[in-house]
Amino acid sequence: MILVLSLVGCSATYRNSGYVPTEDELAEIAVGVDDRSSVEETVGRPVSQGVIADQAWYFVGTRWEYFAYRAPQQIDRQVVAISFDDGGTVENIERFTLADGEVIPLNRRVTDSNIEGVSLIRQLLGNIGNFDAGNFLN
C-alpha cells in the first residue's frame, strides 16, 4: 500500500491556463469580412491586445507540468493572433506554438552614474555658489 501511495505522489500533474480558440472556431472567422464585434461573438474577447489599441487581439494558452520536487515546466504554449485593419476588419489570423517562440534575453541597461561615492549632503553643498543670479530675474 505504501508503495502505491508513493508512486501516485510522484506522478506528474498538469495545469492549463489561458484560452485559445479551436481550429473549428477560427474557421468560422472570415478574413476581410468579419469585424471585431463578430469575432467577439465567435471566440470571445481576449485578455491581451496589441500595443496600439485594437490593432490585434492575442489569445494565449499554456500547459504546465508539475512533477514531484522539480520546478514546473512549460510543455505547451499556443498564441492565436487576430489582427485588424484600420477599419476594424480582420486582416490576418496566425497561430504560434512553443516551437515558434524565441528566447529573448532581458537587457537590463543601467545608466552609469557620475555621482558615485558622493553623498547627498556633498551634492547639496557643492552647488552653493554655482548659480547665476541673472537666471532668476527672468
Side-chain angles (χ1 to χ4, degrees):
M1 183 69 164
I2 294 175
L3 179 64
V4 172
L5 289 176
S6 64
L7 290 176
V8 171
C10 290
S11 65
T13 58
Y14 299 92
R15 190 178 116 212
N16 297 320
S17 64
Y19 164 71
V20 176
T22 64
E23 287 297 329
D24 293 336
E25 291 173 325
L26 293 176
E28 296 179 27
I29 301 171
V31 175
V33 176
D34 284 314
D35 59 2
R36 286 184 190 94
S37 61
S38 63
V39 170
E40 185 174 357
E41 289 175 14
T42 305
V43 296
R45 193 164 180 88
V47 175
S48 302
Q49 295 182 5
V51 175
I52 301 174
D54 290 333
Q55 289 296 319
W57 287 1
Y58 300 100
F59 296 88
V60 181
T62 306
R63 184 169 174 87
W64 294 89
E65 178 185 51
Y66 293 84
F67 186 75
Y69 57 86
R70 294 187 315 192
Q73 183 178 6
Q74 186 178 28
I75 59 172
D76 186 31
R77 180 190 321 126
Q78 292 196 13
V79 177
V80 170
I82 302 175
S83 55
F84 301 96
D85 63 14
D86 292 333
T89 305
V90 175
E91 187 174 55
N92 196 13
I93 301 173
E94 297 175 284
R95 181 181 295 269
F96 303 98
T97 64
L98 192 58
D100 298 321
E102 294 181 26
V103 176
I104 302 172
L106 293 177
N107 187 354
R108 298 189 185 272
R109 291 184 282 178
V110 178
T111 305
D112 291 331
S113 176
N114 63 352
I115 58 169
E116 283 186 29
V118 180
S119 68
L120 175 65
I121 294 175
R122 183 168 180 161
Q123 289 177 33
L124 292 173
L125 293 177
N127 285 327
I128 294 177
N130 288 335
F131 64 90
D132 183 13
N135 292 332
F136 293 107
L137 297 177
N138 292 333

